[in-house]
Amino acid sequence: MNAVLGGRIEGLTALHLDDDDLDPRARLVVIGNGMAGARFVEEVLERGGGEQFRITVFGDEPHGNYNRIMLSPVLAGEEHEDDIVLNSHDWYADNGVTLRAGVMAERIDTAAKLVYAADGTVTAYDHLVLATGSYSFIPPMKGVRTDDGELRPGVYGFRTIDETRAMLDAVGRCRKAVVMGGGLLGLEAARALQGHGLHVELVHAMPYLMNMQLDPEAGAILKRSVEKLGITVHLDVFATDVFGIDSVEGVGLADGRRIDADLLVVAAGVRPSTDIAVRSGLEVERGIVVDDQLRTDDPDVYAIGECAQHRGEVYGLVAPAWEHARVLADVLTGTDPTAEYHGSRTATKLKVAGVDVAVMGINTPEREDDEFLVISEPRRGVHLSVVIRDERLVGATLLGDTRKVAFLTQAFDRGLALPEERIKLLVDLSDGAVEVGVAEMPATTQVCNCNGVTKGAICGAVADGCGSVGAVMDKTRAGKGCGSCKSLVKQIVEWAADGDVTEDVSASWYVPGIPMAKPELMAAIRAQDLRSVSAVFAALAPGGVDDARSKMGLTSLLKMLWGHDYVPEKDGEFINDRVHANIQRDGTFSVVPQIKGGVTTPAQLRKIADVAEKYEVPMVKITGGQRLDLLGVRKEDLPAMWDDLGMPSGYAYGKSMRTVKTCVGSDFCRFGLGDSTQLGIDLETRFQGIESPAKMKMAVVGCPRNCAEAYVKDVGVVAVGNGKWEVYVGGAAGASVRKGDLLATVDSPEAVLELTGRFLQYYRENANWLERTYDFVPRIGLDRLKEVLLEDAEGIVADLDAGMQRSIDAYTDPWGQDAKQPATPGQFRPSLPLIALPKVPVR
Amino acid sequence: MSISELTTAAPAVQGAGVKAYTVGMADDVPPGEGRAFVAGGTQIAVFRLRDGSLHATQAACPHAGGPLADGQTDVNVLVCPLHQYAFRWADGTSPGGAPPVRLYPVRERDGYLVVDV
Ligand code: SRM
Ligand SMILES: Cc1cc2nc3c(=O)[nH]c(=O)nc-3n(C[C@H](O)[C@H](O)[C@H](O)COP(=O)(O)OP(=O)(O)OC[C@H]3O[C@@H](n4cnc5c(N)ncnc54)[C@H](O)[C@@H]3O)c2cc1C
Ligand code: SF4
Ligand code: FES
């Protein structure tokens, strides 16, 4: 819980020696290591400022710099905290910047030009930049704080990674949450907590949600969408009390109601952090007052980001903060000493609680002759409106459908001419306007709001030779903030490359290390008789150079192509495949024996229990795939354990056929229309261990009640009576959820086995590496699949059947094999010899 | 491993506190793979690339302690099995932005693996 995000390895330190007298560079001190402060340092370094300045950064948070915007997905469990680090402690060290992480700056002596910090140090500066951001506003409520002034346990703000971690730590223990505040942060927090299984109620003091951005109707529609997620919304009421002795037990509302809750998130707005400026005698109103060069009333002290107030505005978004950073870097490094900041027109595009929202300008007509166009579809959760004044777009609100945001943003920014038929602003009257939109967009239109990247900059990157969307994103940083503009960036890159390089070249390659698409690669492998991964690299990779990230995909392909005749190379496999088990976070492994169709026996269960005890397995778990998982097994114990189990591998680690789930079917269930259990066992027996571009999971159910979830499997089989079976393909209920498409209705279990094999083989031969069937089936199209597999339109059905049979014949149980004779020396040697294992919790 | 802390050779480069440790037999590390050893109390992962060259790193990944010896390799980088951060053989740095991995000189001598720590 206390790990430092973006921290350094123990023993290394980021402190630099300050040999003041010898260093001729001016001292630049930044207070606040958030999104503005750190970006400012980057901008200074990019302008060669490392030669001019000795830079010191104070950060109250102990971490490196991280992407605060991404705290919502971290709280939702969609993003790992390690992946939101922008600048690690190492980055500062590598760039010669002194980071005083975990140190709060307390006071500035502007006359002596000294910063006094909480750790007792005094730091001299020539130029000082305040980037202290904002803090969560905690409205006065009885009981919200304990006697010592701290927030009562169970009450959280939502601003920092530490608060996010604390909430994530609490969700497991809590059942009911109240979120105070129905703005962006409150909605995000509510959705995230709800995703962790908490019952969530949202209390908002205003009459409608997101009242800062939306109009009342849009707010009402958003409320419906949020309620559809299962979140209860209370509007127009203040929370006045927080109940609870030690930790939170409930929240009292102004109208006397009480809501029980063991977790309270306060997201009732933010306030600029201006304490240090106030204490130091700088001019502060709502924020720290700055001029067009971000200078405070002291000529050597500047303020940027959310703590700054410029021309009366205080911003709460990252884009203005980053604009501040650019302008100030221009000024201070002398790159453009006359650079000025004139304010930001905020056009915001967000995804709030799963709903797309884009807002710009005003949201309701303000003058007599303002034109106002509204399209409202409450049932679909869509509400679109525009405000037009004197033939100019002065405001737009898009909720639930943001397809027109590109054109509207440019019309808003540039004052473009508007279509006579105003409705075209909001709805595509199917005249293919999207392409035109990108082409017509002026070069100065900002595409990525987070990073302030214009269409011109994107086109410039393409002109400079960036050949792919990824390369353009790396170069310009477009799409690297909240990510909501990615599809627009892609459209522009494609347009700018003028059809020449419409696609990421390498995107069509099967693996990154070999410049060939899958069909071409398969043909070359066959033609040159390449049977091992190293032979493929030697013959087909540029310069014959091997590539670690390509090895796993090539191994899979070669196994499919050659069956028995594939020449195995252990280093071509991922560790899971090398030891036939799934690696865990502490380097131990999990063991999932095959339990065909989810049907086991008392003897098997006894065996598993004995083995679990003998090898001190920390957790035995029933998986989502209808079998048993032994987790936390030491690598060196694997062979002996398999031997004792005497059961074949369940392949829970491979890109291969995994499980066939079944229901109890006609043998036992009063609704059963077919023997789903037996058919499941037969499918699993036939296709066990077959490797594939990505996982293949199946299920068979005895009737359309679908108890084993066959509609959402790669292949799902449903008994529909009279001996008939429906075969669905391309279903999913993992990261994507998709109902499978009905490929055919057949009239015997044998026909199911045959058609399944045919489909799987076609998928194995034609899918991209890691492309699940839920992407593959829609890409090929159901009609095409039917033509190929049912009508044999390509005349390949016999080959498909033969190819699958070859793989089935080549199947050997890897556990039975390697338990007796390791494939390479030391196959099962521990890789972390000194750490006491296992480290996973023991249940 | 039976042999672990026997000092049999002088380090390739002399320096303060650098010692050479014989950690195992040369063929303990199959081509393309990595194995973990202990050299004088320090955990080391030794790799033999497909081009035959030997490399050694700290055994635990600087990102989150992953077992680097279980990683995959090519002539340029080592990829950790847990979160797929890569580390360059040239200087231990990570193109993906993880903290760098520590490298140790390693060589083969009379059929034994010798690591300088
Ligand atoms: C053990 C199990 C969870 C459980 O305790 O129940 C599990 C565990 C893992 N799943 Fe799963 N999945 C398990 C059932 C599922 C299911 C349910 C099912 O199979 O019916 C799904 C949804 C169906 C599907 O596959 O789409 C599922 C969808 C995923 C996904 C999302 C795949 C997708 O494209 O949507 C991943 C990530 C991936 O594959 O990249 C994943 C990845 C993982 C990995 C392998 C994570 C990893 O890459 O290391 C987990 C291994 C944990 C470990 O350390 O052993 N797991 N996972 C389940 C094993 C089932 C089995 O008996 O084989
Ligand atoms: C959950 C969440 C989601 C968001 N989503 C979006 C979004 O989708 N789009 C968007 O544009 N914006 C979003 N924002 C807002 C965005 O994060 C802020 O606009 C941005 O972080 C402002 O940058 P800043 O540097 O001014 O402040 P901050 O990033 O808050 O940085 C200020 C830093 O200064 C430190 N500090 C303060 N005082 C001192 C001191 N005296 N001494 C030392 N250090 C000090 C603080 O600890 C903090 O680390 C979101 C914010 C949150 C919390
Ligand atoms: S087991 Fe599956 S759902 Fe659970 S944490 Fe791992 S990948 Fe995620
Ligand atoms: S532990 Fe190595 S990449 Fe995460």
Side-chain angles (χ1 to χ4, degrees):
Chain A
M1 277 304 286
N2 300 318
V4 171
L5 210 55
R8 310 201 81 196
I9 327 167
E10 215 171 319
L12 292 174
T13 152
L15 279 182
H16 283 248
L17 292 178
D18 225 10
D19 37 3
D20 258 356
D21 306 332
L22 301 174
D23 197 330
R25 297 174 300 171
R27 289 158 302 190
L28 174 58
V29 175
V30 180
I31 299 180
N33 187 33
M35 298 193 75
R39 173 55 71 89
F40 167 69
V41 173
E42 283 184 37
E43 298 281 354
V44 167
L45 294 175
E46 263 170 34
R47 289 163 178 73
E51 319 250 291
Q52 279 168 279
F53 299 112
R54 246 177 302 163
I55 309 176
T56 302
V57 181
F58 284 90
D60 193 12
E61 299 183 69
H63 312 287
N65 171 242
Y66 57 89
N67 191 341
R68 202 172 299 284
I69 301 178
M70 300 305 276
L71 289 179
S72 307
V74 169
L75 183 62
E78 294 157 5
E79 194 82 32
H80 192 272
E81 58 170 41
D82 292 336
D83 298 325
I84 69 167
V85 175
L86 296 172
N87 301 98
S88 64
H89 284 207
D90 275 309
W91 180 88
Y92 292 87
D94 292 349
N95 286 285
V97 174
T98 307
L99 174 62
R100 309 277 299 276
V103 180
M104 153 96 99
E106 288 188 324
R107 189 170 62 82
I108 310 157
D109 180 340
T110 49
K113 300 180 94 175
L114 297 172
V115 175
Y116 290 84
D119 62 352
T121 57
V122 182
T123 308
Y125 67 82
D126 296 301
H127 312 277
L128 179 68
V129 178
L130 298 174
T132 50
S134 309
Y135 62 93
S136 308
F137 170 61
I138 309 287
M141 282 181 283
K142 221 187 308 143
V144 69
R145 293 183 192 275
T146 54
D147 292 339
D148 56 5
E150 296 293 314
L151 286 182
R152 182 168 299 283
V155 182
Y156 303 93
F158 187 20
R159 179 76 191 178
T160 64
I161 183 67
D162 291 335
E163 287 166 325
T164 309
R165 284 173 174 178
M167 278 192 270
L168 281 171
D169 184 48
V171 288
R173 300 188 300 268
C174 296
R175 280 185 300 137
K176 292 200 60 185
V178 168
V179 175
M180 258 192 70
L184 164 69
L185 287 192
L187 287 165
E188 293 277 274
R191 185 196 56 130
L193 293 175
Q194 207 240 359
H196 286 288
L198 275 70
H199 175 83
V200 181
E201 305 202 24
L202 191 132
V203 179
H204 187 48
M206 297 293 153
Y208 58 94
L209 294 177
M210 283 187 77
N211 54 290
M212 301 286 280
Q213 292 90 359
L214 301 180
D215 59 44
E217 291 88 90
I221 288 173
L222 180 60
K223 172 167 181 265
R224 290 180 51 145
S225 306
V226 170
E227 283 172 338
K228 260 196 212 151
L229 296 174
I231 296 169
T232 312
V233 181
H234 306 277
L235 294 176
D236 221 354
V237 63
F238 281 97
T240 50
D241 291 89
V242 178
F243 304 117
I245 315 284
D246 294 326
S247 100
V248 174
E249 287 164 21
V251 175
L253 304 185
D255 57 12
R257 277 179 294 164
R258 175 189 162 126
I259 309 175
D260 286 336
D262 39 19
L263 197 157
L264 170 64
V265 183
V266 184
V270 298
R271 296 287 182 273
S273 300
T274 55
D275 277 7
I276 185 168
V278 171
R279 231 177 277 138
S280 314
L282 296 167
E283 187 187 354
V284 175
E285 290 174 4
R286 272 195 304 145
I288 305 167
V289 178
V290 295
D291 64 14
D292 286 355
Q293 292 206 315
L294 290 319
R295 199 175 279 113
T296 65
D297 56 342
D298 181 290
D300 294 311
V301 181
Y302 302 81
I304 58 174
E306 287 192 358
C307 67
Q309 175 182 330
H310 171 261
R311 297 192 187 180
E313 284 287 334
V314 176
Y315 296 95
L317 293 168
V318 77
W322 285 350
E323 265 177 72
H324 296 167
R326 271 194 297 277
V327 171
L328 185 55
D330 277 344
V331 172
L332 279 183
T333 58
T335 310
D336 177 2
T338 62
E340 289 192 348
Y341 172 74
H342 294 147
S344 302
R345 296 191 83 177
T346 45
T348 331
K349 184 160 181 268
L350 306 160
K351 203 179 188 85
V352 188
V355 181
D356 286 315
V357 181
V359 282
M360 57 200 84
I362 57 178
N363 57 34
T364 36
E366 291 173 348
R367 294 191 194 162
E368 190 88 332
D369 48 2
D370 281 351
E371 287 177 58
F372 188 43
L373 175 68
V374 184
I375 295 181
S376 197
E377 290 184 70
R379 208 183 40 78
R380 277 212 303 138
V382 172
H383 182 90
L384 314 172
S385 72
V386 288
V387 188
I388 299 163
R389 180 178 300 164
D390 304 331
E391 290 296 317
R392 294 279 178 271
L393 184 70
V394 292
T397 306
L398 307 178
L399 180 79
D401 176 354
T402 50
R403 277 176 295 179
K404 297 298 279 183
V405 71
F407 178 78
L408 290 173
T409 311
Q410 53 174 306
F412 176 74
D413 282 345
R414 316 294 315 160
L416 296 188
L418 304 177
E420 237 352 87
E421 292 171 76
R422 301 295 197 222
I423 188 156
K424 282 192 174 168
L425 282 170
L426 292 178
V427 186
D428 263 327
L429 298 174
S430 70
D431 48 6
V434 186
E435 248 55 47
V436 188
V438 170
E440 279 173 354
M441 189 185 284
T444 48
T445 302
Q446 182 151 308
V447 175
C448 171
N449 288 331
C450 292
N451 277 313
V453 184
T454 58
K455 176 188 164 191
I458 293 174
C459 297
V462 173
D464 289 350
C466 289
S468 70
V469 180
V472 170
M473 284 173 52
D474 283 342
K475 171 132 193 217
T476 61
R477 301 204 225 194
K480 295 220 153 174
C482 70
S484 64
C485 62
K486 270 189 205 157
S487 69
L488 185 55
V489 173
K490 179 160 180 279
Q491 280 177 40
I492 295 174
V493 172
E494 284 167 359
W495 171 82
D498 203 16
D500 260 358
V501 198
T502 44
E503 234 187 272
D504 208 334
V505 228
S506 60
S508 66
W509 303 347
Y510 174 70
V511 286
I514 297 186
M516 289 183 177
K518 184 164 174 175
E520 201 188 334
L521 176 60
M522 280 168 55
I525 288 172
R526 282 206 184 95
Q528 301 182 39
D529 197 34
L530 307 171
R531 294 181 186 224
S532 69
V533 171
S534 56
V536 173
F537 283 123
L540 304 178
V545 177
D546 63 347
D547 173 50
R549 292 179 198 276
S550 302
K551 291 185 174 182
M552 191 179 171
L554 288 175
T555 299
S556 163
L557 189 67
L558 291 173
K559 280 188 180 167
M560 180 198 57
L561 282 173
W562 296 117
H564 277 305
D565 303 325
Y566 152 73
V567 177
E569 284 175 350
K570 272 285 154 186
D571 65 307
E573 297 177 347
F574 183 57
I575 183 64
N576 286 3
D577 301 301
R578 267 188 245 162
V579 300
H580 321 298
N582 203 319
I583 193 163
Q584 323 265 285
R585 56 192 310 160
D586 64 351
T588 59
F589 290 83
S590 66
V591 169
V592 183
Q594 184 182 62
I595 296 185
K596 286 179 187 168
V599 180
T600 180
T601 60
Q604 260 187 354
L605 291 174
R606 211 170 279 126
K607 180 70 91 202
I608 291 173
D610 288 344
V611 165
E613 273 179 0
K614 176 168 173 190
Y615 296 95
E616 296 165 337
V617 169
M619 179 157 87
V620 182
K621 184 178 178 304
I622 295 175
T623 72
Q626 294 189 344
R627 47 214 193 145
L628 287 159
D629 195 349
L630 305 165
L631 295 122
V633 179
R634 298 174 187 85
K635 194 182 188 187
E636 60 272 32
D637 285 344
L638 290 170
M641 193 158 157
W642 298 332
D643 220 22
D644 286 348
L645 277 170
M647 295 169 70
S649 165
Y651 277 92
Y653 42 82
K655 297 300 173 207
S656 58
M657 213 293 288
R658 292 285 183 93
T659 55
V660 184
K661 302 214 277 192
T662 71
C663 70
V664 287
S666 53
D667 272 2
F668 293 91
C669 175
R670 63 204 160 107
F671 296 116
L673 300 170
D675 191 350
S676 49
T677 322
Q678 187 58 49
L679 180 49
I681 293 172
D682 292 347
L683 279 165
E684 188 154 349
T685 307
R686 182 159 172 76
F687 300 114
Q688 58 193 350
I690 297 291
E691 47 289 309
S692 45
K695 293 180 272 197
M696 304 191 296
K697 299 184 178 181
M698 301 195 240
V700 189
V701 291
C703 86
R705 286 175 188 74
N706 191 33
C707 296
E709 301 162 340
Y711 290 132
V712 289
K713 289 287 152 199
D714 296 292
V715 177
V717 183
V718 184
V720 291
N722 296 325
K724 291 199 183 304
W725 301 85
E726 290 178 341
V727 179
Y728 290 83
V729 294
S736 302
V737 179
R738 177 176 196 275
K739 186 177 177 187
D741 296 317
L742 179 60
L743 180 62
T745 306
V746 298
D747 44 23
S748 69
E750 293 69 38
V752 171
L753 286 161
E754 185 185 69
L755 182 58
T756 301
R758 222 169 259 173
F759 167 74
L760 292 181
Q761 185 65 15
Y762 186 68
Y763 165 68
R764 297 172 77 205
E765 291 183 12
N766 294 285
N768 298 320
W769 176 234
L770 301 184
E771 181 182 32
R772 286 287 291 264
T773 63
Y774 58 75
D775 285 327
F776 175 76
V777 168
R779 175 165 71 82
I780 302 294
L782 181 64
D783 292 340
R784 182 73 196 139
L785 274 179
K786 284 183 176 167
E787 283 165 21
V788 174
L789 301 179
L790 306 176
E791 294 155 27
D792 202 5
E794 287 181 19
I796 58 168
V797 161
D799 288 343
L800 290 177
D801 291 351
M804 179 51 89
Q805 192 58 48
R806 193 169 50 240
S807 293
I808 289 169
D809 293 342
Y811 166 81
T812 47
D813 168 37
W815 289 1
Q817 204 170 35
D818 289 4
K820 300 204 167 49
Q821 175 70 48
T824 53
Q827 183 183 6
F828 298 105
R829 264 190 39 195
S831 282
L832 290 175
L834 292 184
I835 292 185
L837 293 176
K839 279 218 166 152
V840 292
V842 177
R843 298 193 198 227
Chain B
M1 274 292 101
S2 46
I3 4 174
S4 75
E5 301 208 4
L6 195 85
T7 312
T8 58
V13 182
Q14 301 283 346
V18 177
K19 268 188 173 171
Y21 294 92
T22 300
V23 295
M25 305 292 293
D27 47 12
D28 282 344
V29 186
E33 292 194 67
R35 295 288 182 259
F37 300 93
V38 184
T42 308
Q43 300 177 63
I44 307 283
V46 177
F47 301 85
R48 183 187 303 282
L49 304 191
R50 275 279 160 186
D51 67 4
S53 63
L54 286 168
H55 298 263
T57 67
Q58 67 192 68
C61 178
H63 173 233
L68 289 175
D70 284 343
Q72 285 190 287
T73 63
D74 60 34
V75 291
N76 297 311
V77 293
L78 157 68
V79 179
C80 175
L82 286 198
H83 310 98
Q84 276 70 45
Y85 277 104
F87 300 93
R88 299 184 178 97
W89 298 123
D91 56 4
T93 57
S94 162
V101 76
R102 181 132 188 213
L103 303 176
Y104 297 93
V106 57
R107 61 200 176 280
E108 203 175 313
R109 200 168 156 279
D110 304 332
Y112 291 94
L113 289 173
V114 180
V115 182
D116 296 343
V117 176

